[in-house]
Amino acid sequence: MGGPVSAWPWQNLGSFKYLLYGPLVAKVIHSRVWEGGSAEGVWCLHLLLLFAFRGLIHQLWWSFSSMIFLTRKRRIIEQGYDFKQIDREWDWDNFLIPQAFIGAMAFYLFPSLRELPLWDLKGFFIALLLHAAVSEPLFYWSHRAFHSGQLFSHYHSVHHSSPVPSSFTAGHGTPLEHLLMSLLMGLPLLGACFMGAGSVGLLYVYVLLFDFLRCMGHSNVEVFPSGFFETFPLFRYLIYTPTYHSLHHTEKNSNYCLFMPLFDALGGTINTKSWSLQKEISSGKNIKVPDFVFLAHVVDVVSSLHSPFVFRSFSSMPFRVLPYILVFWPGGFLVMLAMWGWSKTFLYSFYNLRGRLHQYWVVPRHGFQYFLPFSKNGINNQIENAILRADKMGVKVLSLAALNKNEALNGGGTLFVSKHPNLNVRVVHGNTLTAAVILNEIPKDVKEVFLTGATSKLGRAIALYLCRKKVRVLMLTLSTERFQKIQKEAPADCQQYLVQVTKYQAAQNCKTWIVGKWISFGEQRLAPRGTHFHQFVVPPIIGFRRDCTYGKLAAMRLPLDVQGLGMCEYTLDRGVVHACHAGGVVHCLEGWTHHEVGAIDVDRIDFVWAAALKHGLRPA
């Protein structure tokens, strides 16, 4: 069990904890409406604004540090943020609630706060002096104490339970620690006020700067240039760096200071690697070549807000449209336009699997743009440049996401392999595993299926595989020529199981639909009650009917030993990736040296499925 004051009293309230801000909000409203803007109401308004800005600082530092395309060369700890850490830090902002009420109590305990001017420069220097002379040494010695015995096991171990520091880690701690932090933050402010130099501006500047520096130290990204401390060596003892504080998190026996390493120097607790490691990381050479790259794309504007660097809590859960997310749609739309005009394929996220680095790269195009005739060449240029870059870097396998391997766009990747026959990177589309996932979802006793998108690569492979199993396949297509071409590929004794249909009405008695082409509500209505819709269409169809069931896009669960994975792919659960992604993973783990582009080899479907299961991938 933890010690006293080691757990937040509202830890089981979830999002309802924000109702605790209600008294402050009520006071602001009451003051505005009935009191003509009383001092109490103005003070409460300042507190609410201040804590909103504090939350924004933590969020912005998180967004910056999670933009791997900007920060990858200066990341200190190479590991990623996994779901366990995200869940552990979910209520990182708990400390803002008591500090808001401490601020409210201070208004009543210290009458001088009621007449604060907007700004007083003298107060800033007084607060800075008190911070260096009082807050810094108090934090240093209390921090060292929290690293010993039961104080660590009952309290400070919570903060250190996060393997990779982030701005949210800065707020992740126990109530006792944050009460102490409130005291250390409040002393310089109260001191300046007692000396007659307090101001509203000082309150905002000091508190926000305090949070800014704490978030910077926990950002896991080195932000100071390599030559700064060589040019100004004195600053080594006046301001800590993210590298300096990350060493404290990894080794836990040094670098205890708040913001000023001077006190570590006086206490003899500076880690000897602090300056050399800072120089090494800030040089920007901290780059590791990935073994596998999944080349993804954006689906739509709303799904783009599911990015890890937007809201970590949102991206770590399966995608769904939430009302508050729609507020950010205009911003997402502007980013889409900017990406369309200027952006190149960029590094999006990463994870590690069995000693191999796997990365997500994103083609900066949204789903609808893939269907604009004038965008085809531009998108293919983006994909081609990404493949050539991966080849130059030494990437082993690059897998194309759904629309990046579109047949009409580039023949499932054949365009690039044909154009560059000497590629060392293996370009794959993952369609073989995608077909295997869909086929293994179909119950063994099914004797008839209805297939849309029947003449596509996936449709062809599914139809040929099922007819070999003596399953009757109703192939929806208006092209008799394409149907007959596929039918001739089937063994002679199985061709009778492939049947061309031209209307959805032909499937009115078939309860197994495999959807490879978007179908409307009216078309779904033609399916009988109890139908299950398997699908490989992007984006997935909308489930209109409550008397039917809808499968998700073909996907597989990554092995349990995956490390640093903290985001969900579009519509999928935690730890689950689309089959086109999983196919590339299997290709990499198996060490296959062939490209997988063009048509699907039906004979390899069972082989690839067995390889996936062998490596610990499981049906989602």
Side-chain angles (χ1 to χ4, degrees):
M1 293 180 63
V5 203
S6 63
W8 299 98
W10 47 81
Q11 65 183 10
N12 295 322
L13 292 181
S15 297
F16 289 106
K17 70 182 180 183
Y18 296 111
L19 294 176
L20 296 172
Y21 287 107
L24 298 180
V25 175
K27 185 62 183 177
V28 171
I29 296 174
H30 184 270
S31 172
R32 291 284 179 178
V33 176
W34 288 285
E35 297 178 353
S38 66
E40 291 91 339
V42 172
W43 181 260
C44 289
L45 178 60
H46 282 310
L47 289 177
L48 291 173
L49 290 175
L50 183 62
F51 289 104
F53 288 138
R54 296 181 71 182
L56 181 61
I57 285 174
H58 284 76
Q59 174 60 46
L60 291 177
W61 267 108
W62 163 259
S63 295
F64 166 72
S65 63
S66 298
M67 292 178 179
I68 311 297
F69 56 90
L70 289 177
T71 62
R72 67 188 184 281
K73 295 182 180 180
R74 290 172 172 260
R75 286 182 62 83
I76 302 162
I77 300 174
E78 294 183 358
Q79 185 178 341
Y81 306 99
D82 60 20
F83 293 118
K84 289 182 180 179
Q85 176 171 342
I86 292 170
D87 290 344
R88 195 180 294 121
E89 296 176 350
W90 196 272
D91 292 314
W92 65 270
D93 58 346
N94 273 336
F95 75 98
L96 293 176
I97 296 174
Q99 288 188 3
F101 284 95
I102 289 172
M105 289 173 57
F107 180 84
Y108 294 100
L109 293 175
F110 306 106
S112 59
L113 297 178
R114 304 183 182 190
E115 302 297 334
L116 288 180
L118 185 62
W119 182 252
D120 188 332
L121 187 60
K122 183 172 68 174
F124 177 81
F125 291 105
I126 293 173
L128 183 62
L129 179 62
L130 289 173
H131 174 87
V134 179
S135 296
E136 286 282 349
L138 280 177
F139 179 88
Y140 174 79
W141 288 108
S142 62
H143 193 185
R144 285 191 66 172
F146 270 109
H147 270 265
S148 61
Q150 293 189 353
L151 282 178
F152 184 82
S153 60
H154 291 330
Y155 298 96
H156 200 50
S157 60
V158 172
H159 182 68
H160 279 277
S161 63
S162 299
V164 187
S166 73
S167 61
F168 298 130
T169 309
H172 181 52
T174 58
L176 181 63
E177 292 175 284
H178 281 295
L179 288 174
L180 176 62
M181 193 68 72
S182 302
L183 175 65
L184 298 176
M185 186 188 294
L187 286 175
L189 294 172
L190 291 175
C193 290
F194 287 152
M195 295 180 189
S199 65
V200 173
L202 173 63
L203 175 68
Y204 278 88
V205 170
Y206 180 77
V207 173
L208 295 181
L209 182 60
F210 193 99
D211 279 353
F212 181 90
L213 292 176
R214 291 202 74 220
C215 291
M216 180 193 74
H218 288 85
S219 67
N220 195 42
V221 176
E222 184 51 66
V223 295
F224 287 92
S226 57
F228 178 78
F229 294 105
E230 294 177 357
T231 306
F232 306 102
L234 178 63
F235 278 91
R236 288 180 175 177
Y237 301 97
L238 297 182
I239 183 69
Y240 77 161
T241 68
T243 303
Y244 187 94
H245 193 68
S246 290
L247 279 170
H248 169 74
H249 272 263
T250 55
E251 301 189 9
K252 301 182 180 69
N253 60 357
S254 57
N255 296 6
Y256 295 104
C257 74
L258 180 56
F259 306 132
M260 298 174 64
L262 170 66
F263 294 93
D264 277 309
L266 296 175
T269 54
I270 287 184
N271 192 304
T272 56
K273 296 181 288 187
S274 297
W275 316 127
S276 59
L277 184 61
Q278 193 276 336
K279 182 177 180 180
E280 175 187 341
I281 292 176
S282 63
S283 67
K285 299 179 181 178
N286 188 22
I287 301 177
K288 185 178 179 181
V289 176
D291 295 279
F292 167 72
V293 167
F294 179 56
L295 189 60
H297 56 80
V298 191
V299 176
D300 53 39
V301 172
V302 177
S303 70
S304 70
L305 301 174
H306 199 246
S307 302
F309 48 78
V310 180
F311 293 110
R312 181 171 79 168
S313 58
F314 186 44
S315 67
S316 68
M317 302 298 288
F319 172 80
R320 56 198 178 106
V321 179
L322 299 174
Y324 77 88
I325 288 295
L326 297 178
V327 175
F328 299 93
W329 190 92
F333 181 77
L334 293 176
V335 170
M336 181 269 291
L337 294 178
M339 288 171 60
W340 199 351
W342 298 287
S343 182
K344 298 180 180 179
T345 299
F346 60 92
L347 173 59
Y348 178 70
S349 186
F350 69 96
Y351 61 90
N352 290 277
L353 181 62
R354 297 173 189 170
R356 296 175 174 89
L357 176 61
H358 292 200
Q359 290 183 346
Y360 288 86
W361 293 5
V362 172
V363 174
R365 295 295 182 269
H366 289 55
F368 77 92
Q369 294 167 312
Y370 283 78
F371 302 98
L372 301 176
F374 58 84
S375 293
K376 179 178 178 179
N377 291 336
I379 292 173
N380 277 331
N381 287 338
Q382 291 274 359
I383 298 171
E384 181 179 8
N385 290 335
I387 292 172
L388 294 177
R389 190 175 87 188
D391 189 61
K392 184 178 180 180
M393 291 173 63
V395 176
K396 294 181 177 64
V397 177
L398 183 145
S399 184
L400 301 172
L403 295 179
N404 288 331
K405 62 182 178 183
N406 187 284
E407 181 70 20
L409 183 69
N410 51 47
T414 54
L415 172 67
F416 313 115
V417 174
S418 301
K419 188 176 180 180
H420 304 282
N422 297 319
L423 288 172
N424 290 314
V425 62
R426 299 305 166 195
V427 180
V428 302
H429 52 39
N431 281 344
T432 306
L433 187 58
T434 301
V437 171
I438 294 170
L439 290 165
N440 279 276
E441 287 178 350
I442 300 172
K444 302 299 182 184
D445 59 346
V446 167
K447 298 301 180 183
E448 182 180 71
V449 302
F450 175 61
L451 178 63
T452 72
T455 58
S456 65
K457 278 190 177 73
L458 271 169
R460 164 194 163 275
I462 291 170
L464 290 174
Y465 185 95
L466 288 174
C467 78
R468 292 182 182 185
K469 300 294 182 180
K470 312 301 183 186
V471 177
R472 189 167 183 259
V473 184
L474 306 179
M475 299 176 64
L476 180 68
T477 177
L478 297 177
S479 174
T480 301
E481 178 184 355
R482 295 180 69 178
F483 167 75
Q484 290 177 346
K485 183 179 179 181
I486 294 173
Q487 190 180 43
K488 290 177 181 178
E489 292 186 62
D493 62 336
C494 298
Q495 292 181 3
Q496 60 181 314
Y497 292 99
L498 298 181
V499 180
Q500 181 186 8
V501 298
T502 58
K503 296 181 179 180
Y504 286 90
Q505 285 83 348
Q508 285 182 327
N509 297 315
C510 180
K511 292 189 175 182
T512 302
W513 285 36
I514 304 176
V515 182
K517 183 179 179 181
W518 179 266
I519 54 177
S520 66
F521 173 59
E523 291 162 341
Q524 290 182 41
R525 287 183 61 187
L526 297 174
R529 182 187 298 271
T531 295
H532 182 78
F533 294 91
H534 305 270
Q535 52 184 318
F536 58 93
V537 59
V538 178
I541 63 174
I542 300 173
F544 291 110
R545 293 184 55 178
R546 294 186 179 181
D547 59 345
C548 297
T549 54
Y550 294 81
K552 294 183 178 180
L553 291 176
M556 296 200 76
R557 187 172 298 279
L558 289 174
L560 296 177
D561 55 344
V562 64
Q563 297 175 322
L565 180 64
M567 56 161 273
C568 293
E569 292 193 4
Y570 182 65
T571 75
L572 300 182
D573 295 329
R574 288 181 167 189
V576 177
V577 298
H578 292 103
C580 51
H581 180 162
V585 172
V586 174
H587 206 101
C588 183
L589 291 174
E590 282 287 317
W592 290 329
T593 57
H594 65 280
H595 297 291
E596 186 202 359
V597 294
I600 302 172
D601 184 350
V602 180
D603 294 327
R604 283 182 57 84
I605 289 177
D606 288 334
F607 176 73
V608 172
W609 177 254
L613 298 181
K614 180 183 75 173
H615 286 288
L617 286 85
R618 291 292 179 265

